[in-house]
Every structure is written in C-alpha cells, then in structure tokens.
C-alpha cells in the first residue's frame, strides 16, 4: 500500500517536472517574442538615428549607408511579422509543444543575430574608417543596445549571451584593430561585455525563479481547486444518498405494509405537514370508515382472504379519494381519509365523496372463487365549524362512525357536538343498566288496546319504565337500544314478562281482559332457550298461552337468521302465543314475505297514524287490504284524536291503541265505556 503510494507520488513528481519544463519553455518563448517588438523597434530607431547623426559622411559612401538601412528595415519587418505570427499561434494553441516552438525560436535567434551582424558591419566600418563623430555615435548606441538586451533578452539564456557578446565584442575588436588602435577602450569594451553578461544571467535567473514560483502557485491553486471540487462532489453524493435513504426509510415507516396506504403515524405526519403548510383558513374534514361485518369474512374465509379484501378496499378508497387528500389505515378494518374541503358546506361535500367511496367499495370483490360484498359505516367531521385540529377531527369522525354503526350500518353520519356527551352518557347508562334489576329501578306500565267500534279493552301493552337515582326517568327509546347492544335485554326481557304476568295475576278483574302484549327484541328471540323462558313464565303465573301477545319488529325478516327466527316463532305459535309485528312499515319492506311468518297482527307505526291526513292514509289503506287477504289483523297505535279514530275505523282497522283511549299506567285500567266514535 505504502510502496504503491510512494511510487504514485514519484510518478506524480516526474509528471509535475515534465509539465513544469514544458510550461516554462512556452512561457519564456512567449516572453521572448513579446519583448521582441521592443527590441526590433529600438533597433530600427537606433539604426535610423545613427545614420542621421553621421549623414552626410565623408569617409563612408552614402549608398552603403542607405543599403544598410534598407537591410535593417527589411530584417526588422521580417522579424516583426514573424513575432506577430508566433504570438498569435501561442494564443490560439495553448497546448503547443516544445518541438513545435523550436523552429520559431531558431528563426528568432537568426533574426537577432542578423541584426547584431548588421550592427557589427556598421561598427566595424565606422571604427575602421576612423571618423571621430561616427565612432562616438557607434560607441554610445551599441552599448546602449547591449545593455537593453540584458533585460529584453532575459528570457533566452543562450541567445541573449550570444547577442550581447556579438554586439559588444565586435566593437572592441574593431577598436583593437583600427589604424590608430585604442587598446584601453577595447579592454574596457571586454570588461563591459562581461558585466553585461553577468547582468543578463542574473536577470535570467530572477525571471526563471519568478516563473517557477508562479507555476507552483498555479499548480497549488489548481490542485486545491481540484481537491475542493472533489470533496464537494463527494459530499454532494453522500448527502444525496443519505437524503434518499432517509426519504425511503421515512416512506416505509409511514406506510401500512398490507394495504400500501399510510399507516396511523404516516397519516398523523401528513396532517402535521398540511397544518403547517396550509393557511389556517383552509378547511379539512376527517372521514372515518369502518367496514361492516368484516369479522365474518375474516372468521369465515380466513385471514388470507381478509387481507386481500382489505388491500382491495384500500385501493378502491384511494382511487375514489383521488387528489382530494390522504388515506390511511387506522387499524384492523378501519380507514381514515383526510380531505381538503371547500369553505362552504364542507360536511355535505365530504358526504358526496363518501358516497363515491361507498359505491366503489360495494362493487363485488372477486376472491378465492367468490364474489364478496363489503360495505362500511362512515363518520364525517370537518375542522372548520368548531375550529377543530385535524387530529381532533379524526376522533370526532370516529365517534360519528360509531353512531352510524348503531344506526344500522351502511350509512354516513356527520359529527354533532352532542355526540361526545351522548357517548359518555351511553357508557354510563351501560354501567347503570347492569345494576338496574338488582336495585329495583325497573317497573312496568300497562296501556290498553281497544276493539275498533266497541272500544272495549281487548288487551294491555306492557311498557318498561326505568327510574334511575342519577338519571331520573330514562326513556325506553334511549335505554332499550343500549340493552340490545350489550345483550342485557335478554335478562331484562325475562324480568318484564315475569313482572307483567305477576301483576295481572294479582290485580286483574277475573271477568275482564287478561291478555298482555309484551315487546320482544330480536336479540331475545334468537337467544337460546327463549321459548322455554316464555313457557315457564306462563306456567309459573298460571297464565294461558292465548293470553300472551309478543310484539316483534320487522327485523324478524333479517335474512341472515331466517331459520332460527322462523323456528322459534313457529314453536311459539303452535304453543298458542300470538305474534304481532310492531312499528310496521318503518323497517324492511316485508309485505311480500308476510305469509312466510306465523303472524296474527300488524301494528301500524304511529308515524302513519299521525300522517293520516297526508301519505299515511294510503299506506294504511294498502296495508289493511293485503293484511285482510292474508287473514292478519291490524292494530293502529298512537291514536290521539276522535278524528283519527273515525278515519281508522273507516279503513277497517281491527284494534286501536293510544292516549285517546288511555295512557300507559301502573294499573290495569278499564277504559271509559262512554267514549265511542
Ligand atoms: P312501542 O312498542 O311502539 O311502544 C309504544 C310507545 O308509544 C310507548 O312509548 C308509548 O308510551 C307510546 N304511545 C302510546 N300511545 C301514544 C300516543 O297516543 N301518542 C304518542 N305520541 N305516543 C304514544 P314508550 O313507553 O316510551 O316505549 C318506547 C319503545 O320502547 C316502545 O315502542 C318499544 O319499542 C320499546 N319498549 C318499551 N318497553 C319495552 C320492553 O319491555 N321490551 C322491549 N324490547 N322494548 C320495549
Ligand atoms: Ca310495542
Ligand atoms: Ca310501536
């Protein structure tokens, strides 16, 4: 490793030395040619000056002088042209080699020495001719030219030396060989030559050193530059790689691996970024999506199928969402979409979006050779109206989705402020309900049902009352659904039956009607042993099955539990208990399937009675028509006015119930016989 390094360093040094030599050579040549202009100009000027000084001359022929001047001029012109050419070439070819320059340098030297020769000729002829004036002129001009050459020719060591020597020594030689020799002057000329040569050498050395310094400096700057850009490149690539890797990791950490949508923390991150970047006035809505009955798919078809369904649902939701926001998997079978909404009616806008999502999701999903249908309950909460943060909006949408689930699945519920309070009250009621029987908080009341026309009491409907020390009288409309949810209704239902039967056994007029109508939830009906509970209660209180009516709702037409529902209803029917369908017309449209169930009466919902003057009339009329064809009796509930009584009796309704005939009361009351239609 170190050997290789050392070798590389050596190679580097050799390379450096070579490139320095080339660079120095080129630089010196360039300088020589640049200075050549000065040299030529001075030469020419000196030549003309000299001729002017000695013109007209007695010793020298004028034609000789003229010829000499022409020769000098022609030479100077040639040298000038050549210098221009070389300077241009140096500029145009920065990579020019030493070999390419060498002939030019040769020409340069030739030009110089020819000039020196011309001066030698003129010096020799003046000195030898012995003219005082011209000799003095030559002895001033030639040393001056030589002295100038120590600087101007500093770049060329050899050529400079030769030029200076030739220029000066030919003068000295002439002085020594003259007719009247001047030996002292000749010796002085030689000494002067030596001094000039030393000066020239020194100049040359200084020049070289300065070039060397410049080269090193250039080299250093270049190397530093190279190193810096290398480092910068390295840094840049490293940074880019780190950035990319970080982004990848971030993306992975934010993604749900199964569905490839955001996970919970990814969605929260997205929200945080949006809240930072988007102005406070921009609106957001959270859409909470809870798949309906997904557990059945998971339990019934296995988790692999469940996973495929989840991934497909996520894909469809994402596509329906489009560019409006971000989708995340909240957990299990729950998804959350955060959407940017318009300022106006953000909830309505969101509900339209949910409709699109619902349509996309409800398309059958083909998996494992089956066509599965998936639906969802959704909750919507916008940030705008209550200045909610997005994270709070998710929580609110979650509450609303829970509400949607309770309201019967497959629907979208918009968050209301009261929902949170309702939720809390619900939770408290769940707890309170568990203690209600033991704490004797329940009681039953009876409301008479009368025969149409005669208005004789036919039976009593049993209605449950709950009086809680903390919450006071709680409406059955509120606590019955909770009891159904928790399953508590099974125990409570048995308690109602027991209490009502005991009460009638204790207080009823032996001659009067003993018949009771008891409300039964689907949850009770399908609970194991329901029939046994009914029978044992009747036996315990020595009541006949014919004296009991069970009011069930249209939920008995729920297709998923048909066999068990039909079985238990049939068992009750054969035993002698009557089955009535309560709140008829509000649930599944079940008229066409009425004949499948052992039902003896329909109880028209009180909303239709209240609407007798509008659409209620036609609905009741139609229902009565079909019921009569099937041999099923009709009861109207919620009858409050004499006019309603008249209208209902005109439609052929069999039994009537409502405040007009009697309010629910703790005791079995005989309705006033005088009241007739
Ligand atoms: P429902 O079975 O339809 O009971 C009739 C409801 O209408 C009763 O309300 C009764 O007080 C009310 N009502 C009677 N006549 C009139 C009238 O002329 N005008 C008006 N506006 N209302 C009248 P309540 O007692 O609050 O019961 C509400 C619901 O709670 C019942 O509706 C029933 O679905 C449920 N429920 C009550 N007791 C029981 C029970 O023991 N078991 C079950 N499973 N559900 C029960
Ligand atoms: Ca009822
Ligand atoms: Ca009812």
């Amino acid at each position: 490793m170190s050997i290789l390094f050392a070798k590389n360093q050596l190679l580097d040094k050799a390379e450096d030395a070579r490139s320095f030599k080339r660079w120095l050579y080129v630089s010196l040549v360039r300088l020589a040619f640049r200075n050549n202009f000065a040299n030529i100009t001075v030469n020419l000027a000196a030549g003309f000056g000299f001729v002017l000084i000695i013109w007209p001359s007695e010793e020298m022929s004028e034609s000789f002088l003229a010829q000499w001047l022409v020769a000098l001029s022609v030479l100077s012109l040639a040298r000038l042209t050549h210098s221009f050419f070389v300077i241009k070439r140096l500029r145009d070819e920065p990579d020019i080699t030493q070999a390419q320059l060498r002939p030019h340098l040769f020409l340069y030297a030739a030009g110089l020495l020819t000039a020196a020769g011309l001066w030698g000729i003129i010096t020799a002829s003046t000195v030898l001719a012995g003219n005082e004036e011209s000799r003095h002129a030559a002895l001033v001009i030639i040393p001056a030219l030589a002295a100038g050459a120590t600087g101007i020719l500093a770049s060329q060591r050899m050529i400079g030396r030769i030029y200076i020597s030739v220029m000066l020594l030919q003068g000295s030689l002439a002085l020594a060989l003259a007719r009247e020799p001047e030996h002292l002057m000749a010796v002085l000329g030689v000494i002067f030559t030596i001094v000039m040569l030393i000066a020239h050498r020194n100049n040359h050395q200084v020049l070289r050193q300065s070039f060397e310094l410049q080269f090193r400096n250039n080299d250093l700057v270049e190397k530093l530059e190279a190193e810096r850009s290398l480092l910068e490149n390295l840094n840049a690539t490293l940074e880019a790689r780190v950035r990319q890797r970080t982004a990848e990791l971030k993306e992975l950490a934010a993604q749900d691996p199964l569905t490839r949508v955001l996970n919970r923390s990814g969605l929260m991150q997205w929200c945080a970024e949006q809240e930072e970047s988007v102005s406070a006035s921009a609106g957001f809505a959270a859409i909470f999506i809870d798949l309906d009955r997904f557990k059945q798919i998971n339990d019934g078809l296995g988790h692999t199928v469940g996973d495929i369904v989840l991934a497909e649902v996520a894909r469809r939701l994402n596509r329906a969402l489009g560019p409006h926001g971000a989708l995340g998997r909240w957990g299990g079978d729950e998804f959350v979409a955060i959407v940017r909404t318009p300022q106006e009616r953000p909830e309505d806008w969101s509900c339209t979006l949910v409709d699109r999502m619902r349509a996309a999701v409800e398309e059958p999903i083909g998996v494992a050779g089956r066509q599965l249908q998936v639906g969802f309950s959704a909750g919507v909460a916008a940030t705008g109206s209550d200045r909610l943060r997005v994270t709070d909006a998710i929580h609110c949408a979650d509450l609303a989705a829970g509400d949607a689930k309770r309201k019967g699945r497959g629907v979208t519920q918009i968050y209301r402020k009261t929902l949170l309070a309702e939720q809390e009250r619900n939770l408290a009621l769940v707890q309170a309900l568990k203690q209600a029987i033991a704490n004797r908080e329940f009681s039953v009341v009876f409301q008479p049902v009368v025969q149409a026309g005669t208005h004789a009491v036919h039976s009593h409907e049993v209605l449950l009352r709950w009086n809680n020390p903390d919450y006071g009288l709680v409406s059955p409309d509120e606590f019955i659904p909770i009891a159904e949810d928790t399953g508590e209704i099974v125990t409570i239902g048995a308690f109602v039956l027991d209490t009502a039967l005991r009460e009638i056994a204790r207080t009823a007029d032996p001659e009067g009607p003993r018949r009771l109508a008891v409300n039964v939830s689907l949850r009770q009906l399908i609970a194991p042993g329901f029939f046994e509970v009914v029978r044992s209660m009747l036996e315990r209180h020595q009541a006949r099955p014919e004296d009991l009516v069970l009011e069930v709702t249209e939920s008995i037409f729920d297709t998923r539990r048909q066999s068990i529902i039909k079985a238990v209803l049939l068992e009750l029917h054969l035993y002698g208990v009557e089955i009535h369908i309560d709140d008829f017309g509000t649930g599944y449209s079940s008229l066409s399937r009425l004949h499948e169930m052992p039902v003896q009466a329909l109880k028209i919902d009180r909303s239709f009675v209240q609407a007798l003057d509008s659409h209620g009339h036609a609905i009741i009329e139609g229902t009565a028509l079909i019921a009569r064809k099937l041999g099923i009796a009709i009861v109207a509930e919620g009858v409050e006015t004499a006019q309603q009584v008249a209208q209902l009796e005109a439609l052929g309704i069999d039994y009537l119930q409502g405040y007009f005939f009697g309010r629910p009361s703790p005791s079995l009351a005989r309705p006033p016989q005088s009241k007739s239609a």
Side-chain angles (χ1 to χ4, degrees):
M1 191 67 184
S2 65
I3 292 175
L4 205 73
F5 183 68
K7 195 176 154 198
N8 277 343
Q9 269 204 329
L10 277 177
L11 282 175
D12 276 358
K13 276 203 173 142
E15 178 66 28
D16 276 2
R18 254 200 309 280
S19 72
F20 170 65
K21 259 175 112 179
R22 192 197 78 87
W23 180 82
L24 184 65
Y25 184 88
V26 173
S27 303
L28 291 175
V29 170
R30 183 185 291 117
L31 191 62
F33 276 97
R34 276 212 196 121
N35 286 348
N36 213 19
F37 294 118
N39 183 287
I40 297 162
T41 321
V42 169
N43 244 290
L44 208 55
F48 275 93
F50 178 76
V51 172
L52 273 178
I53 290 169
I54 62 169
W55 191 281
S57 172
E58 288 148 24
E59 288 87 7
M60 296 170 79
S61 86
E62 273 142 21
S63 74
F64 168 74
L65 282 175
Q67 278 168 19
W68 183 83
L69 213 51
V70 169
L72 183 70
S73 300
V74 170
L75 176 69
S76 297
L77 200 67
R79 289 177 65 202
L80 269 177
T81 314
H82 179 235
S83 295
F84 268 119
F85 171 75
V86 175
I87 292 282
K88 186 175 177 303
R89 202 172 158 192
L90 278 167
R91 202 177 43 231
D92 294 346
E93 300 171 39
D95 293 329
I96 196 161
T97 61
Q98 281 165 264
Q100 285 172 311
L101 281 176
R102 214 162 278 132
H104 290 300
L105 200 61
F106 179 77
L107 276 178
Y108 164 86
L112 257 178
L113 293 178
T114 311
L118 281 176
W119 282 104
I121 291 168
I122 205 82
T123 321
S125 29
T126 50
V127 170
L128 294 176
N131 179 288
E132 257 332 89
E133 202 183 20
S134 61
R135 182 189 291 182
H136 284 146
L139 288 181
V140 168
I141 289 171
I142 290 175
L145 285 177
T150 60
I152 283 179
L153 298 186
S155 64
Q156 298 303 319
R157 198 173 52 186
M158 264 337 262
I159 297 170
R161 268 181 201 170
I162 295 167
Y163 176 78
I164 290 167
S165 306
V166 169
M167 284 290 267
L168 289 173
L169 289 180
Q170 59 193 355
S172 296
L173 199 67
L175 284 170
L177 299 178
R179 251 175 296 167
E180 295 156 34
E182 291 188 45
H183 295 294
L184 192 67
M185 285 291 277
V187 171
L188 269 177
V190 173
I191 293 170
F192 188 67
T193 307
I194 293 167
V195 170
M196 285 300 124
L197 285 176
I198 290 171
H200 174 257
R201 194 199 61 188
N202 289 347
N203 281 347
H204 179 74
Q205 269 168 4
V206 169
L207 193 67
R208 262 190 98 106
Q209 273 164 12
S210 79
F211 270 119
E212 211 162 312
L213 272 176
Q214 195 190 334
F215 178 83
R216 282 216 208 112
N217 208 20
N218 280 352
D219 196 42
L220 214 64
V221 169
E222 240 169 57
K223 276 187 183 156
L224 276 176
E225 281 284 312
E227 253 161 52
R228 207 185 59 197
S229 72
L230 194 77
L231 267 177
E232 272 172 4
N233 274 343
L234 204 71
N235 266 345
T237 37
L238 266 178
E239 267 172 31
R241 246 195 254 154
V242 168
R243 246 199 319 275
Q244 190 192 344
R245 197 78 193 107
T246 314
E248 281 169 10
L249 282 175
K250 207 172 138 190
E251 207 179 292
L252 272 181
Q255 200 186 55
D256 172 53
L258 175 64
T259 59
R260 298 191 170 272
V261 297
L262 295 173
N263 59 22
R264 205 185 259 235
S265 76
L267 196 68
M268 298 314 283
Q269 178 69 31
W270 188 87
C271 291
E273 282 164 14
Q274 295 299 306
E275 280 182 325
E276 263 170 36
S277 66
V278 175
S279 72
S281 62
F284 285 97
I287 298 172
F288 199 101
I289 289 166
D290 191 341
L291 301 191
D292 292 334
R293 303 192 183 95
F294 180 71
K295 200 174 167 327
Q296 288 175 5
I297 293 178
N298 240 355
D299 293 350
L301 301 173
H303 287 254
T304 317
V305 172
D307 285 354
I308 295 172
V309 170
L310 278 179
E312 178 60 15
V313 167
R315 198 183 64 80
R316 293 181 184 189
L317 287 175
N318 219 359
R319 190 191 282 178
L321 174 64
H324 299 296
L327 179 74
R329 184 170 170 214
W330 202 244
D333 59 349
E334 297 165 342
F335 294 89
V336 169
I338 307 293
V339 294
R340 274 180 234 95
T341 61
Q343 296 293 319
E344 292 289 306
R345 307 168 73 88
E347 284 95 353
D348 291 352
W349 186 89
S350 304
C351 285
T352 313
L353 180 64
V354 174
D355 288 345
R356 274 212 303 279
M357 291 173 147
R358 194 186 297 288
V361 168
E362 281 178 354
E363 285 285 312
I365 299 173
V367 55
R370 292 164 185 269
Q371 295 291 313
L372 297 178
Q373 218 207 343
V374 182
F376 62 75
S377 305
V380 168
T383 55
S385 53
D386 298 322
R387 297 184 184 283
L388 291 173
R389 290 177 56 82
V390 177
T391 43
D392 300 329
I394 295 176
H395 180 62
C396 294
D398 186 2
L399 283 180
D403 198 35
K405 270 241 141 110
R406 276 190 301 281
K407 293 242 160 78
R409 303 169 204 268
V411 293
T412 307
Q413 198 64 38
I414 295 173
Y415 170 76
R416 291 164 281 121
K417 257 188 186 163
T418 51
L419 210 54
L420 194 65
E422 282 173 29
Q423 205 89 18
E424 279 163 6
R425 182 178 159 94
N426 264 10
L427 276 173
L429 290 184
V430 166
Q431 294 307 314
L433 265 179
K434 287 183 181 152
Q435 313 298 322
I437 294 179
N439 293 350
R440 300 173 156 276
E441 290 165 16
F442 283 132
S443 60
V444 294
V445 290
F446 302 91
Q447 187 179 27
V449 179
V450 306
Q451 201 113 37
T454 65
H455 301 175
V457 175
H458 170 257
S459 60
H460 287 92
E461 180 175 3
V462 181
L463 295 162
L464 182 59
R465 293 291 173 263
W466 182 24
N467 194 354
N468 179 273
D470 292 330
Y471 300 100
L473 267 175
V474 184
S475 159
D477 283 325
E478 186 179 8
F479 74 80
I480 294 290
I482 297 174
E484 286 175 341
D485 259 6
T486 61
E488 207 72 27
I489 193 69
V490 178
T491 331
I492 294 172
F495 166 84
V496 171
L497 202 57
D498 187 30
T499 313
L501 286 171
R502 180 184 304 119
E503 195 58 22
I504 209 151
R506 199 173 61 83
T507 61
D509 180 347
E511 302 303 311
R514 311 177 63 88
R515 189 179 262 238
L516 289 180
V518 176
N519 293 288
V520 173
S521 296
L522 186 68
R523 190 83 192 247
Q524 288 172 264
L525 204 67
I526 60 173
F530 178 69
F531 174 73
E532 283 310 314
V533 171
V534 174
R535 197 175 61 177
S536 64
M537 291 286 179
L538 287 171
E539 283 173 0
R540 182 193 300 176
H541 299 289
Q542 287 156 3
R544 297 174 305 160
E546 294 78 29
D547 286 337
L548 184 63
V549 170
L550 295 183
E551 293 189 4
V552 296
T553 62
E554 284 169 293
S555 60
I556 58 162
F557 292 104
D558 183 340
T559 46
R560 283 167 304 138
R561 290 167 177 128
Q562 280 304 280
S563 51
I564 178 168
I565 292 168
K566 272 183 192 165
V568 69
L569 289 182
L570 199 66
E571 212 173 1
L572 289 165
H573 173 65
L574 293 175
Y575 182 54
V577 173
E578 273 197 23
I579 307 292
H580 293 185
I581 297 183
D582 204 357
D583 305 336
F584 193 84
T586 56
Y588 296 69
S589 61
S590 44
L591 266 177
S592 59
R593 292 176 53 210
L594 258 182
H595 65 278
E596 296 173 15
M597 296 289 184
V599 167
Q600 287 74 54
L602 302 181
K603 211 167 177 180
I604 303 262
D605 191 67
R606 66 173 178 275
S607 61
F608 300 116
V609 174
Q610 265 149 22
L612 258 177
D613 289 329
S614 51
H615 66 279
H617 193 274
I619 291 172
I620 295 172
E621 191 176 31
T623 309
L625 217 77
I626 293 173
R628 211 167 295 130
K629 282 219 167 103
L630 292 171
I632 294 174
I634 291 211
V635 187
E637 64 175 357
V639 184
E640 295 178 351
T641 64
Q643 195 196 350
Q644 287 168 343
V645 175
Q647 283 172 302
L648 290 166
E649 286 180 340
L651 284 169
I653 303 302
D654 304 288
Y655 303 99
L656 305 167
Q657 177 188 1
Y659 294 165
F660 183 78
F661 299 105
R663 293 192 171 248
S665 126
S667 56
L668 301 171
R670 203 173 276 272
Q673 293 296 310
S674 57
K675 254 183 194 168
S676 65

